[in-house]
Amino acid sequence: MDCRQISEKEIEAILLNGTINYKKSSLQVADCQKKYAVEGITDDQQRVSIIFAPCADEVTVVTCIDLGKEWVCNCQ
């Protein structure tokens, strides 16, 4: 998230208001292995795709991708 300059607030907004891209999602698996690719536009106009993995009462962010820009990341 830091590498791509996407805030937690923006992640939450995409989760609530984004659109599921079913072609990029993995839904034909067990419940805790499902992954949803949710796409939308952030407050600062980044077009993003965020992969969410829900399990029980938690949702994990697997990755977030800026669809309009390649960011150089040296995260470890």
Coordinates of all heavy atoms in Angstrom, one line a residue:
M1 N 0.8 -1.2 0.0 CA 0.0 0.0 0.0 C 0.9 1.3 0.0 O 0.6 2.2 -0.7 CB -0.9 0.0 1.2 CG -2.0 -1.0 1.1 SD -3.0 -1.3 2.7 CE -3.2 0.3 3.3
D2 N 1.9 1.2 0.8 CA 2.8 2.4 0.9 C 3.5 2.6 -0.4 O 3.6 3.8 -0.9 CB 3.8 2.2 2.0 CG 3.2 2.3 3.4 OD1 2.1 2.9 3.5 OD2 3.9 1.9 4.4
C3 N 4.0 1.6 -1.0 CA 4.7 1.7 -2.3 C 3.8 2.3 -3.4 O 4.3 3.1 -4.2 CB 5.2 0.3 -2.8 SG 6.5 -0.4 -1.9
R4 N 2.5 2.0 -3.4 CA 1.6 2.5 -4.4 C 0.8 3.7 -4.0 O -0.1 4.2 -4.6 CB 0.7 1.4 -4.8 CG 1.5 0.3 -5.6 CD 0.6 -0.9 -5.9 NE 1.4 -1.9 -6.6 CZ 2.1 -2.9 -6.0 NH1 2.1 -3.0 -4.7 NH2 2.7 -3.7 -6.7
Q5 N 1.2 4.3 -2.8 CA 0.5 5.4 -2.2 C -1.0 5.3 -2.2 O -1.8 6.2 -2.6 CB 0.9 6.7 -3.0 CG 2.4 6.9 -3.0 CD 2.9 8.2 -3.7 OE1 2.1 9.0 -4.2 NE2 4.2 8.3 -3.9
I6 N -1.4 4.2 -1.6 CA -2.9 3.9 -1.4 C -3.1 3.8 0.1 O -2.5 2.9 0.7 CB -3.3 2.6 -2.2 CG1 -3.0 2.7 -3.7 CG2 -4.8 2.3 -1.9 CD1 -3.2 1.4 -4.4
S7 N -3.9 4.6 0.6 CA -4.1 4.7 2.0 C -5.2 3.6 2.5 O -5.9 3.1 1.7 CB -4.6 6.1 2.5 OG -6.0 6.3 2.0
E8 N -5.2 3.4 3.8 CA -6.2 2.5 4.4 C -7.6 3.0 4.2 O -8.5 2.2 3.9 CB -5.9 2.3 5.9 CG -6.7 1.2 6.5 CD -6.3 0.9 7.9 OE1 -5.2 1.1 8.3 OE2 -7.2 0.5 8.7
K9 N -7.7 4.3 4.2 CA -9.1 4.9 4.0 C -9.5 4.7 2.6 O -10.7 4.3 2.3 CB -9.0 6.4 4.3 CG -10.2 7.2 4.0 CD -10.1 8.7 4.2 CE -11.3 9.4 3.7 NZ -11.0 10.9 3.5
E10 N -8.6 4.7 1.6 CA -8.9 4.5 0.2 C -9.3 3.0 0.0 O -10.2 2.7 -0.7 CB -7.8 4.9 -0.7 CG -7.6 6.4 -0.8 CD -6.4 6.8 -1.5 OE1 -5.3 6.3 -1.3 OE2 -6.5 7.8 -2.3
I11 N -8.5 2.1 0.7 CA -8.8 0.7 0.6 C -10.3 0.4 1.1 O -11.0 -0.3 0.5 CB -7.8 -0.1 1.5 CG1 -6.4 0.0 0.9 CG2 -8.2 -1.6 1.6 CD1 -6.1 -0.8 -0.3
E12 N -10.6 1.0 2.2 CA -11.9 0.8 2.8 C -13.0 1.3 1.8 O -14.1 0.7 1.7 CB -12.0 1.5 4.1 CG -11.2 0.8 5.2 CD -11.2 1.6 6.5 OE1 -12.0 2.6 6.7 OE2 -10.5 1.2 7.4
A13 N -12.7 2.5 1.2 CA -13.7 3.1 0.3 C -13.9 2.2 -0.9 O -15.1 2.0 -1.4 CB -13.3 4.5 -0.2
I14 N -12.9 1.6 -1.5 CA -13.0 0.6 -2.6 C -13.7 -0.6 -2.2 O -14.6 -1.1 -2.9 CB -11.6 0.3 -3.2 CG1 -10.9 1.5 -3.7 CG2 -11.7 -0.8 -4.2 CD1 -11.6 2.2 -4.8
L15 N -13.5 -1.1 -1.0 CA -14.2 -2.3 -0.5 C -15.7 -2.0 -0.4 O -16.5 -2.8 -0.8 CB -13.7 -2.7 0.9 CG -14.4 -3.8 1.6 CD1 -14.3 -5.1 0.8 CD2 -13.9 -4.1 3.0
L16 N -16.1 -0.8 0.0 CA -17.5 -0.5 0.2 C -18.1 -0.1 -1.1 O -19.3 -0.3 -1.4 CB -17.6 0.7 1.2 CG -17.3 0.3 2.6 CD1 -17.3 1.6 3.5 CD2 -18.2 -0.8 3.2
N17 N -17.4 0.6 -2.0 CA -18.0 1.2 -3.2 C -17.5 0.7 -4.5 O -18.0 1.1 -5.6 CB -17.8 2.8 -3.1 CG -18.4 3.3 -1.9 OD1 -19.5 3.1 -1.5 ND2 -17.6 4.1 -1.2
G18 N -16.5 -0.1 -4.5 CA -15.9 -0.6 -5.8 C -16.7 -1.6 -6.5 O -17.8 -2.0 -6.0
T19 N -16.3 -2.1 -7.6 CA -16.9 -3.0 -8.4 C -16.1 -4.3 -8.5 O -14.9 -4.3 -8.8 CB -17.1 -2.5 -9.9 OG1 -17.8 -1.3 -9.8 CG2 -17.9 -3.5 -10.8
I20 N -16.8 -5.5 -8.3 CA -16.1 -6.7 -8.3 C -15.8 -7.1 -9.8 O -16.7 -7.0 -10.6 CB -16.9 -7.9 -7.7 CG1 -17.1 -7.6 -6.2 CG2 -16.2 -9.2 -7.9 CD1 -18.1 -8.6 -5.6
N21 N -14.5 -7.4 -10.1 CA -14.1 -7.9 -11.4 C -14.1 -9.4 -11.3 O -13.2 -10.0 -10.8 CB -12.8 -7.3 -11.8 CG -12.3 -7.8 -13.2 OD1 -12.7 -8.9 -13.6 ND2 -11.5 -7.0 -13.8
Y22 N -15.2 -10.0 -11.8 CA -15.3 -11.5 -11.6 C -14.3 -12.2 -12.4 O -14.0 -13.3 -12.0 CB -16.8 -11.9 -12.0 CG -17.8 -11.4 -11.0 CD1 -18.5 -10.3 -11.1 CD2 -18.0 -12.1 -9.8 CE1 -19.4 -9.8 -10.2 CE2 -18.9 -11.7 -8.8 CZ -19.6 -10.6 -9.0 OH -20.5 -10.1 -8.1
K23 N -13.8 -11.7 -13.5 CA -12.8 -12.4 -14.3 C -11.5 -12.5 -13.5 O -10.7 -13.4 -13.8 CB -12.6 -11.6 -15.6 CG -13.7 -11.7 -16.6 CD -13.4 -11.0 -17.9 CE -14.7 -11.1 -18.8 NZ -14.4 -10.4 -20.0
K24 N -11.2 -11.6 -12.7 CA -9.9 -11.6 -11.9 C -10.1 -12.2 -10.5 O -9.2 -12.3 -9.7 CB -9.4 -10.2 -11.8 CG -8.9 -9.6 -13.1 CD -8.4 -8.2 -12.9 CE -8.0 -7.5 -14.2 NZ -7.5 -6.2 -14.0
S25 N -11.3 -12.5 -10.1 CA -11.6 -13.0 -8.8 C -11.5 -14.6 -8.8 O -11.7 -15.2 -9.9 CB -13.0 -12.6 -8.4 OG -13.1 -11.2 -8.2
S26 N -11.4 -15.1 -7.6 CA -11.3 -16.6 -7.5 C -12.4 -17.0 -6.5 O -12.3 -16.9 -5.3 CB -9.9 -17.0 -6.9 OG -9.9 -18.4 -6.7
L27 N -13.6 -17.4 -7.1 CA -14.7 -17.7 -6.3 C -15.2 -19.1 -6.2 O -16.0 -19.5 -5.4 CB -15.9 -16.8 -6.8 CG -15.6 -15.3 -6.9 CD1 -16.8 -14.6 -7.4 CD2 -15.2 -14.8 -5.5
Q28 N -14.6 -20.0 -7.1 CA -15.0 -21.4 -7.2 C -14.1 -22.2 -6.3 O -13.7 -23.3 -6.7 CB -15.0 -21.9 -8.6 CG -15.8 -21.1 -9.6 CD -17.3 -21.1 -9.2 OE1 -17.9 -22.1 -8.8 NE2 -18.0 -19.9 -9.3
V29 N -13.9 -21.8 -5.1 CA -13.1 -22.5 -4.1 C -13.8 -22.4 -2.7 O -14.8 -21.8 -2.6 CB -11.7 -21.8 -4.0 CG1 -10.9 -22.0 -5.3 CG2 -11.8 -20.4 -3.6
A30 N -13.2 -23.1 -1.7 CA -13.7 -23.1 -0.4 C -13.9 -21.6 0.1 O -13.1 -20.7 -0.3 CB -12.9 -23.9 0.5
D31 N -14.8 -21.4 1.1 CA -15.1 -20.1 1.5 C -13.8 -19.3 1.9 O -13.7 -18.1 1.5 CB -16.1 -20.1 2.7 CG -17.5 -20.3 2.2 OD1 -17.7 -20.2 1.0 OD2 -18.3 -20.7 3.1
C32 N -13.0 -19.8 2.8 CA -11.8 -19.0 3.2 C -10.7 -19.0 2.2 O -9.6 -18.4 2.5 CB -11.3 -19.6 4.6 SG -12.4 -19.1 6.0
Q33 N -10.9 -19.5 1.0 CA -9.9 -19.4 0.0 C -10.3 -18.5 -1.1 O -9.6 -18.3 -2.1 CB -9.5 -20.8 -0.6 CG -8.9 -21.6 0.5 CD -8.5 -23.0 0.0 OE1 -8.9 -23.4 -1.1 NE2 -7.8 -23.8 0.8
K34 N -11.5 -17.9 -1.0 CA -12.1 -17.0 -2.1 C -11.3 -15.7 -2.0 O -10.9 -15.2 -1.0 CB -13.5 -16.8 -1.8 CG -14.4 -18.0 -2.1 CD -15.8 -17.7 -1.9 CE -16.6 -19.0 -2.2 NZ -18.0 -18.9 -2.2
K35 N -11.1 -15.2 -3.2 CA -10.5 -13.9 -3.4 C -11.3 -13.0 -4.4 O -11.7 -13.5 -5.4 CB -9.1 -14.0 -3.9 CG -8.1 -14.7 -2.9 CD -6.7 -14.8 -3.4 CE -5.8 -15.3 -2.3 NZ -6.0 -16.7 -2.0
Y36 N -11.6 -11.8 -4.0 CA -12.4 -10.9 -4.8 C -11.5 -9.7 -5.3 O -10.8 -9.1 -4.5 CB -13.5 -10.3 -3.9 CG -14.5 -11.2 -3.5 CD1 -14.4 -12.1 -2.4 CD2 -15.7 -11.4 -4.2 CE1 -15.3 -13.0 -2.0 CE2 -16.7 -12.3 -3.9 CZ -16.5 -13.1 -2.8 OH -17.5 -14.0 -2.4
A37 N -11.4 -9.5 -6.6 CA -10.7 -8.4 -7.2 C -11.8 -7.3 -7.3 O -12.7 -7.4 -8.0 CB -10.2 -8.8 -8.5
V38 N -11.6 -6.2 -6.5 CA -12.5 -5.1 -6.4 C -11.8 -3.9 -7.0 O -10.7 -3.6 -6.6 CB -13.0 -4.9 -5.0 CG1 -14.0 -3.7 -5.0 CG2 -13.6 -6.1 -4.4
E39 N -12.4 -3.3 -8.0 CA -11.8 -2.1 -8.7 C -12.6 -0.9 -8.5 O -13.8 -0.9 -8.2 CB -11.7 -2.5 -10.2 CG -10.8 -3.7 -10.4 CD -10.7 -4.1 -11.9 OE1 -11.4 -3.5 -12.7 OE2 -9.9 -5.0 -12.2
G40 N -11.8 0.3 -8.5 CA -12.5 1.6 -8.3 C -11.4 2.7 -8.5 O -10.3 2.4 -8.8
I41 N -11.9 3.9 -8.2 CA -11.1 5.1 -8.3 C -10.9 5.7 -6.9 O -11.9 5.9 -6.2 CB -11.8 6.2 -9.2 CG1 -12.1 5.6 -10.6 CG2 -10.9 7.4 -9.3 CD1 -10.9 5.2 -11.5
T42 N -9.7 5.9 -6.5 CA -9.4 6.5 -5.2 C -9.7 8.0 -5.2 O -9.9 8.6 -6.2 CB -8.0 6.3 -4.8 OG1 -7.1 7.0 -5.7 CG2 -7.6 4.8 -4.7
D43 N -9.6 8.6 -4.0 CA -9.9 10.1 -3.9 C -8.9 10.9 -4.7 O -9.2 11.9 -5.2 CB -9.7 10.5 -2.4 CG -10.9 10.0 -1.6 OD1 -11.9 9.7 -2.1 OD2 -10.7 9.9 -0.3
D44 N -7.7 10.4 -4.9 CA -6.7 11.1 -5.7 C -6.6 10.6 -7.1 O -5.6 10.8 -7.8 CB -5.3 11.1 -5.0 CG -4.7 9.7 -4.9 OD1 -5.4 8.7 -5.2 OD2 -3.6 9.6 -4.4
Q45 N -7.7 10.0 -7.6 CA -7.9 9.6 -9.0 C -7.0 8.4 -9.5 O -6.8 8.3 -10.7 CB -7.8 10.8 -9.9 CG -8.8 11.9 -9.6 CD -10.2 11.4 -9.5 OE1 -10.7 10.9 -10.5 NE2 -10.9 11.6 -8.4
Q46 N -6.5 7.6 -8.6 CA -5.8 6.4 -9.0 C -6.9 5.3 -9.3 O -7.8 5.1 -8.6 CB -4.9 5.8 -7.9 CG -3.7 6.6 -7.6 CD -3.0 6.0 -6.4 OE1 -3.3 6.3 -5.2 NE2 -2.0 5.2 -6.7
R47 N -6.7 4.6 -10.5 CA -7.6 3.5 -10.8 C -6.9 2.3 -10.2 O -5.8 1.9 -10.6 CB -7.7 3.4 -12.3 CG -8.8 2.5 -12.8 CD -9.1 2.6 -14.3 NE -7.9 2.3 -15.1 CZ -7.6 1.2 -15.6 NH1 -8.4 0.1 -15.4 NH2 -6.5 1.0 -16.3
V48 N -7.6 1.6 -9.3 CA -6.9 0.5 -8.5 C -7.7 -0.7 -8.6 O -8.9 -0.7 -8.8 CB -6.7 0.9 -7.0 CG1 -5.7 2.1 -6.9 CG2 -8.0 1.2 -6.3
S49 N -7.0 -1.8 -8.4 CA -7.6 -3.2 -8.2 C -7.1 -3.7 -6.9 O -5.9 -3.7 -6.7 CB -7.3 -4.1 -9.3 OG -7.8 -5.4 -9.1
I50 N -8.0 -4.1 -6.0 CA -7.6 -4.5 -4.7 C -8.1 -6.0 -4.5 O -9.3 -6.2 -4.8 CB -8.1 -3.6 -3.6 CG1 -7.5 -2.2 -3.8 CG2 -7.6 -4.1 -2.2 CD1 -8.2 -1.1 -3.0
I51 N -7.2 -6.9 -4.1 CA -7.6 -8.2 -3.9 C -8.0 -8.4 -2.4 O -7.1 -8.2 -1.6 CB -6.5 -9.2 -4.3 CG1 -6.1 -8.9 -5.8 CG2 -7.0 -10.7 -4.2 CD1 -7.1 -9.0 -6.8
F52 N -9.2 -8.8 -2.1 CA -9.7 -9.0 -0.8 C -9.9 -10.5 -0.6 O -10.5 -11.2 -1.5 CB -11.0 -8.3 -0.5 CG -10.9 -6.8 -0.5 CD1 -11.2 -6.0 -1.7 CD2 -10.4 -6.1 0.6 CE1 -11.1 -4.7 -1.7 CE2 -10.3 -4.7 0.5 CZ -10.7 -4.0 -0.6
A53 N -9.6 -11.0 0.6 CA -9.8 -12.4 0.9 C -10.6 -12.5 2.2 O -10.0 -12.3 3.3 CB -8.5 -13.1 1.1
P54 N -11.9 -12.7 2.1 CA -12.7 -12.8 3.4 C -12.6 -14.2 4.0 O -12.5 -15.2 3.2 CB -14.1 -12.5 2.9 CG -14.1 -12.9 1.4 CD -12.7 -12.7 0.9
C55 N -12.6 -14.3 5.3 CA -12.7 -15.5 6.0 C -13.3 -15.3 7.4 O -12.8 -14.4 8.1 CB -11.3 -16.2 6.1 SG -11.4 -17.8 6.9
A56 N -14.4 -16.0 7.6 CA -15.2 -15.8 8.8 C -15.6 -14.3 9.0 O -16.2 -13.8 8.1 CB -14.4 -16.3 10.0
D57 N -15.2 -13.6 10.0 CA -15.6 -12.2 10.2 C -14.4 -11.3 9.9 O -14.4 -10.1 10.3 CB -16.1 -12.0 11.6 CG -15.1 -12.3 12.7 OD1 -14.0 -12.9 12.4 OD2 -15.3 -12.0 13.9
E58 N -13.4 -11.7 9.1 CA -12.3 -10.9 8.8 C -12.2 -10.8 7.3 O -12.5 -11.7 6.6 CB -11.0 -11.4 9.3 CG -10.9 -11.4 10.8 CD -9.5 -11.8 11.3 OE1 -8.6 -12.0 10.5 OE2 -9.3 -11.9 12.5
V59 N -11.6 -9.6 6.8 CA -11.3 -9.5 5.4 C -9.8 -9.0 5.3 O -9.5 -8.0 5.9 CB -12.2 -8.4 4.7 CG1 -11.8 -8.2 3.3 CG2 -13.7 -8.8 4.8
T60 N -9.0 -9.8 4.6 CA -7.6 -9.5 4.4 C -7.4 -8.9 3.1 O -7.9 -9.3 2.1 CB -6.8 -10.8 4.6 OG1 -7.0 -11.4 5.8 CG2 -5.3 -10.5 4.4
V61 N -6.5 -7.8 3.1 CA -6.1 -7.3 1.8 C -4.9 -8.1 1.3 O -3.8 -8.1 2.0 CB -5.7 -5.8 1.9 CG1 -5.1 -5.2 0.6 CG2 -6.9 -5.0 2.3
V62 N -5.0 -8.7 0.2 CA -3.9 -9.6 -0.3 C -2.9 -8.7 -1.0 O -1.7 -8.7 -0.8 CB -4.4 -10.7 -1.3 CG1 -3.3 -11.4 -1.9 CG2 -5.4 -11.6 -0.5
T63 N -3.4 -7.8 -1.9 CA -2.6 -6.9 -2.6 C -3.4 -5.7 -3.1 O -4.6 -5.8 -3.3 CB -1.8 -7.5 -3.8 OG1 -0.8 -6.6 -4.3 CG2 -2.7 -8.0 -4.9
C64 N -2.8 -4.6 -3.5 CA -3.4 -3.5 -4.1 C -2.6 -3.1 -5.3 O -1.4 -3.0 -5.2 CB -3.7 -2.4 -3.1 SG -2.3 -1.8 -2.2
I65 N -3.2 -2.8 -6.4 CA -2.5 -2.6 -7.6 C -3.0 -1.2 -8.2 O -4.3 -1.1 -8.4 CB -2.8 -3.7 -8.7 CG1 -2.3 -5.0 -8.0 CG2 -2.1 -3.4 -10.0 CD1 -2.9 -6.2 -8.7
D66 N -2.2 -0.4 -8.6 CA -2.5 0.8 -9.3 C -2.5 0.5 -10.8 O -1.5 0.1 -11.4 CB -1.5 1.9 -9.0 CG -1.8 3.3 -9.7 OD1 -2.5 3.3 -10.7 OD2 -1.4 4.3 -9.1
L67 N -3.7 0.5 -11.4 CA -3.8 0.0 -12.8 C -3.3 1.0 -13.8 O -3.2 0.7 -15.0 CB -5.3 -0.3 -13.1 CG -5.9 -1.4 -12.2 CD1 -7.4 -1.5 -12.5 CD2 -5.2 -2.7 -12.6
G68 N -3.0 2.2 -13.3 CA -2.6 3.3 -14.3 C -1.1 3.6 -14.2 O -0.6 4.4 -15.0
K69 N -0.4 3.0 -13.2 CA 1.0 3.4 -13.1 C 1.8 2.3 -12.4 O 1.3 1.6 -11.5 CB 1.1 4.7 -12.1 CG 2.5 5.1 -11.9 CD 2.6 6.4 -11.1 CE 4.0 6.8 -10.8 NZ 4.1 8.1 -10.1
E70 N 3.0 2.1 -12.9 CA 4.0 1.1 -12.4 C 4.8 1.8 -11.3 O 5.4 2.8 -11.6 CB 4.9 0.6 -13.4 CG 4.4 -0.6 -14.2 CD 4.2 -1.8 -13.4 OE1 5.0 -2.2 -12.6 OE2 3.1 -2.5 -13.7
W71 N 4.7 1.4 -10.1 CA 5.4 2.0 -9.0 C 6.6 1.1 -8.7 O 6.6 -0.1 -8.7 CB 4.6 2.0 -7.7 CG 3.4 2.9 -7.8 CD1 2.2 2.7 -8.3 CD2 3.4 4.3 -7.4 NE1 1.4 3.8 -8.2 CE2 2.1 4.8 -7.7 CE3 4.3 5.2 -6.9 CZ2 1.7 6.1 -7.5 CZ3 4.0 6.5 -6.7 CH2 2.7 7.0 -6.9
V72 N 7.8 1.8 -8.4 CA 9.0 1.1 -8.0 C 8.9 0.8 -6.5 O 8.7 1.7 -5.7 CB 10.2 1.9 -8.3 CG1 11.5 1.2 -7.8 CG2 10.3 2.2 -9.8
C73 N 8.9 -0.5 -6.2 CA 8.8 -0.9 -4.8 C 10.0 -1.8 -4.4 O 10.4 -2.7 -5.1 CB 7.5 -1.7 -4.5 SG 6.1 -0.7 -4.6
N74 N 10.5 -1.5 -3.2 CA 11.6 -2.3 -2.7 C 11.2 -2.8 -1.3 O 12.0 -2.9 -0.4 CB 12.9 -1.4 -2.5 CG 13.4 -1.0 -3.9 OD1 13.4 -1.8 -4.8 ND2 13.8 0.3 -4.0
C75 N 9.9 -3.2 -1.2 CA 9.4 -3.7 0.1 C 9.9 -5.1 0.3 O 10.1 -5.9 -0.6 CB 7.9 -3.7 0.0 SG 7.1 -2.1 -0.3
Q76 N 10.1 -5.4 1.6 CA 10.6 -6.8 1.9 C 9.7 -7.4 2.9 O 9.2 -6.8 3.8 CB 12.0 -6.7 2.4 CG 12.9 -6.3 1.3 CD 14.4 -6.6 1.6 OE1 14.6 -7.6 2.3 NE2 15.3 -5.7 1.2

